[in-house]
Structures are given as structure tokens and as C-alpha cells.
Amino acid sequence: MSQSTRTGLRAGAAAAWCGVSMCAAAHAAQDVDQAAAATASAAACGGVALTCADGDKVIYLPAFFSQYNPITALDLVNRVPGFSIDPGDNVRGFGGAAGNVLIDGQRPSTKSADIFEILSRIGLGAVEKIELIRGGTGGLDVGGQAVVVNVVRKSGEGAKASIPWRFALVKRRPNGGLRPQAEISYAGKAGDFSYTAGANVFGISLTFGGEEEITRFFEEDEFRTRDGVFREQGGGVNFKVERPFENGDTARFSVEAEYLRFREDFDETRFLPVGGPDLALFTFPLDELEFEIGADYEHGFTENFGAKIIALFGREFESFDSGFEFLPADGDSEQSIFFSDQNEGEIIGRMEFDWKGWNKHSIQFGSEIARNFIDSEAELVATNDMGVLEPVNIDGANTRVSELRNETFISDSWKVAPKLTIDANFALELSRIAQSGDNANSRFFVYPKPSVTFTYAPAEKVQWRLSAERIVNQLSFGQFVSSVNFDDEDVDFGNPDLQPQRTWRVEASYERRFGEFGVVELIGFFNYVQDVEDLLPIGGIVEVPGNIGDGQIYGGRINLTAPLDWMGLKNSRFEGSLTQRESSITDPVTGEDRLFSFTPKRFWNVDFRQDFTKAKISWGFFARNRTDSFGFGLDELSVFKTQPDIGAFIETTAIKGVRTRFQVNDITNVTDIRERTVFDGSRADNPALFRERRSNNNGGAFRLTFSGNL
């Protein structure tokens, strides 16, 4: 399952058996722990302040975030002023998947669990402080991120057992089912071992509806209505154990496992000018099982030289059987079924060395080797002239793709002067991709990946950053495999000749902090993109995922975090972001300049929160939107439109030991629109056959969440 899907599914959670009375009994102990935490860690900021600056770091003690009623480390990190969590890229290998959050100065040695999940397993009482590191990150394993957060946990006697939990009831509107979502995690010690064990379950049920107008330029028009049901459920378990040694070494071992099942069914009624109506039935069932085993070991040879070895093994099994049945008012029915089974695997070995023996330098170097594969077995069956299901050949649906990849890297964080830091990195990637089955092929790639970041801080609350880097995208194995798209009556062919997209990215930013948590950041960026990945026309007949040439993306962004007390809104906080960008690429079909596919010119989001501390109540709202985006195919052009998505919440800690939150998502029941024009062959020189305008409403959701920390 993709990282974004997994993250979106787990909005709430905790042990259903944890009753309110049980949590209330634990509140007194929790208050003591929080008070002790603030006292013990206050030394980090001189014993008085809850936040302070230390060179390139801004340190926040847990008590700084108390007005937000935090339960876990995730609640703390989400409220760090001027910071937004980047979970990293969902790519093959370990080095390229780095996000911008560390735990005790280290990246978690896992890929299947994203940083949101990992932070939610760390209870508030286990956190000593939060460090915001702005520049000077070259000595940290953060994949070139310029700004990172480091969650520092308590150690020794201060590290006590904690049980963060969350339980939610989710109701989709207007006609969705009520589904529970729960998560619980336990962190404790047994002798010299510290461990974390947890489990979660999640589910969602919704009904959706929409309509579609089809304007045909050479035939009769058509109108369609769509009604469907979507159901998804699953769960997972996790376990991690850590063992420190007297010589300073540390060993870790972890296991992650998850199961997912979803079912989507919808009926499409097709109204014709004469006769009808016709009925089309679509079914999309999927089952997925995923697990990962990880281990790492750290050893310090000297005070200034250390090493870390990381090993990961992961597998994913997916079964997807989609179906289509057409039941006309007059004539024979038709049926098609696409059976697909995919098996993906990844093995990673990585060695990192850190050396701080050179004054004002922090150097890291090492190497990583990864082996990845996907086995795809698929079959399409459809009714023939006799009404009997028979196999239909699809080139590229049965194949095996494997990759052997090595990356060797070195980085140096150099404190040139008290106010100037340079982070320089260089990596060399070697990879061999082999494909067997329907489309046999083998290719070898060599890509250098340099990067450099200059960080200049003329004052404590002012910072300038300038960075340049070369990014090499990791190819998705799914783009090598062909599949069927019943919804658009199309076959999505795979491409065995696809190459990685490469980007030269230059970014300049100015950051100014004000007040206790105010931050304004101005960013300008320019990306020169080589071998842009998009739909590539082949011979004017078919299209495949491919490389369509070089292009550019450029623009600017403003991020703002500010208190609104000056407006009379006491204990309030506003966060907003606005990005404006342009893009340019030569269309391989028409030869004319156009935008990048699915790249809106502008998108924004705002979040507001106000806390009434004495009343133990908080409220807020959020909104986000983007401009239209476009999809370009060989014989079609699509436009995707949406409306502002608005939500609101109210939160209280009136029940001791329990944070209760009621949230409404998509208050206005946003209508998503796709306008699709299909041509009679290449859209460069052929007339349009028809134009579809499809609108869809998924409805919003009510969410009631209880959470706490035993």
C-alpha cells in the first residue's frame, strides 16, 4: 500500500477497552510525569525558558506545547513553529527515502512505517525535548534536508513506561457507515532492553454519487448517473526492541506487519436519447499483506569515529480483481474481468560512517546496496460473440522486473564561520534493471548526485539558505506492468524502456522568526527537469509511461506561522502556505509548449486554532485548495477541477486524562470535476469525438476521537 494511502487511513485510534474511568485514574500520574519532564529538561534552556536558541538549533521543551493538549511526540512535532513534516519519498532503497524528522539523532531503520506512525507511538512523557535544526544538517542522516526536527527521548531513570492510545468513531456523510479506528502502543523496559509494541485497526465506509454528461460531436449525446459504495478495513502490528551496551554500542530490531482489504462497487446508469437506459456495473476488490523486518547496529571506534550498519527485508503481496459488466436495455450483455496478482520484495544493506575528527567539520560516508523485484501475473477475460468468457491477450501484463542498485555517498557539514555553514554532499548511483516475461529487457544506469547548501544566519532569528542539488527519481515498477482501466475503457500499457527522471533543483529561502512562535519564510525555486516522466505516444497508436524530453518548473512559496493576539484572539495561532509556480515542457503530440501534467499553478492551505486554557476547550478550522490541473494523453485531454475543502474541530480536556475531539471534514461536500475530451486518434490533427464532464461527491466525515497517555 502506498505511503500516502496508509497515512490517510489512520486518522484515529486506540484501545477500545480503555474506558474513560481507567484513563481518568491515570491522569494524576500523567500530570506528575509532565511536571517532572518540564523540570528535568528545563536545563536545556537555562532552567527558565521553555524555548531557546543554540546556534543553528531552536530547542523546545514539551511544556512549550502544553496549550495544545499533546499526547504523543507527533502532537509536539506537528506544532513546531514554521515546520511541516516531510515523511520522505516512497522509493526503493533506504538513502533516497529520508524524511525530515529524526529520533535521538537517527533515522528510524524502517520504510514500511512512516514517521507519522512512529511518532504516534512515543508518549509525551518519554520526550525530553524537541530540536529544530535549521541548516548545518550535513552530519545527520536526513538525505539533504535543509531543516529537520530531532525528537530527543529521555534516557536512564527518566525513561518510564508509557501507553499512548487513541480511539475514534468515523461516520461518512450523508450515507456512510459508522466505523471504529483504534491504536495503542506500549513502551517499556526489561532488564537492559527497551521495547515498543503496538497494534492498530482502521476502517471506513462511504457511499458516493455523481453524474456525467457526454457531448458527442458526431453521435447522440448521453447522460449518466453513478452511485457506489466504498469499504476499507485493515490492521497492523509492530514491535521494536533496543539494547544499549556498556561500550556505547546500540543494537535495534523491529518488525512491522499490516493487512488491508478494500472493496469498491458502483452502478452507472446510462440515459440515451432513444431507448435505454443501459446499466454498467463496476467492481474493484483488493487484498494486500505487507511485512518488514529491520535491524541496525551502532559502534563507536573512537570519540570522533563511529559506524552504523542497517539491514531491511520487506515483502508485499497484492491481489486485485476488477470487473465490468454491461447490461443494455436491448441486446446482449457483456462482461470483462481482470485478475492481477503481484508480489514485491526488497532487501537493503547499508553501512554508514561518521567522523568528527576534523575541526569544524562533520563528515559522513558509506554505501548502500539494494535488491528489489516485482512479479506480476495477470489475465483479462471477456465475453466473446457466443457470450462465453475467454482470455484476451495483454502485452506486458505477465512479467518480472528486478533491480540491483548501489549508492556510495559522502557528506560534509562545514562550520565556515559562526554565522555560515556549508553542507556538501555527493553520491554515485549505479543500477541495473532487468525485465523478463512479456517484455524482456535489461539496462544499466550511472547517475552522479551532488548537492550543496549554504546557510547564513546574520542574527539569531534571521536565516538565509541557498541550495542546489541533483535529484534522480526512482522508477516505479508498476509503470513496467500493463493493466486494464475499465472506467475509461482503456488499457494502461507498461514500458520496459522507461528511464528515471532527473532534476537540477536550485532553491533560495529567507526565514524570519518573531515573538514566541511567529515564523515567516519566503522561498524561490527553479527546477530543470530532464527526461520528464509522462505519457509517451508510440507510433501515433498507443501511449505508455515514458520520457517526453526536458522541461522546467519555477516559482515561489510563502509560509507563515503567527499569533493573532493583536486581533483580540487570545491564545490563537494561524498557519498558512501559498505556492505559485509555472511549468514548461514541449508536448510530444502537438510539438507546442504546455504545462507539466497534473501540476497545478497555485495551491494554498490555512489552519487556525484558538485555546481557552481555563475552560479546557480549543477550536479551529482548516481549508485548502488548488487551481486546475491537466492530463495530456495521445488521444485525450483532461482537466481536473476542485473546490475549497473546509473542515473544523472542537476539542476539550474536561475529562481528566482524556483529550476529546470532534471534527467535521469537507463541510461543503466538495464537488470534484473531470472534463475529458477524446479525439479520433492523435489530438494533434484529428477532430474531437466526444467530451465528458464527470462530477463526483464523496461527502464529508464526522470524527469523534478519544486519546490519552496512560
Side-chain angles (χ1 to χ4, degrees), residues 258-291:
E258 184 175 85
Y259 174 72
L260 166 70
R261 162 177 283 197
F262 83 70
R263 300 289 185 271
E264 181 179 4
D265 303 283
F266 61 86
D267 302 339
E268 190 174 76
T269 305
R270 302 176 176 181
F271 298 94
L272 306 172
V274 179
D278 298 337
L279 183 64
L281 309 178
F282 298 84
T283 60
F284 301 94
L286 179 141
D287 291 272
E288 183 180 87
L289 174 65
E290 179 182 8
F291 72 88

Side-chain angles (χ1 to χ4, degrees), residues 25 293 316 318 320 338 524 536:
I293 300 172
E316 181 178 317
E318 179 184 285
F320 178 60
F338 182 68
L536 177 68

Side-chain angles (χ1 to χ4, degrees), residues 443 475 479-480 493-501 530-538 543-549 585 588 594 597:
R443 290 170 298 152
L475 294 174
Q479 294 178 313
F480 290 80
F493 289 101
N495 180 11
D497 296 317
L498 185 66
Q499 296 188 48
Q501 176 177 295
Q530 299 172 293
D531 284 334
V532 173
E533 295 180 24
D534 205 327
L535 290 177
L536 177 68
I538 303 295
E543 60 188 17
V544 297
N547 306 103
I548 64 171
I585 182 73
R594 65 162 171 85
S597 294

Side-chain angles (χ1 to χ4, degrees), residues 366-377:
S367 186
E368 173 181 308
I369 187 168
R371 176 79 175 181
N372 311 272
F373 73 88
I374 180 173
D375 278 324
S376 173
E377 295 182 2

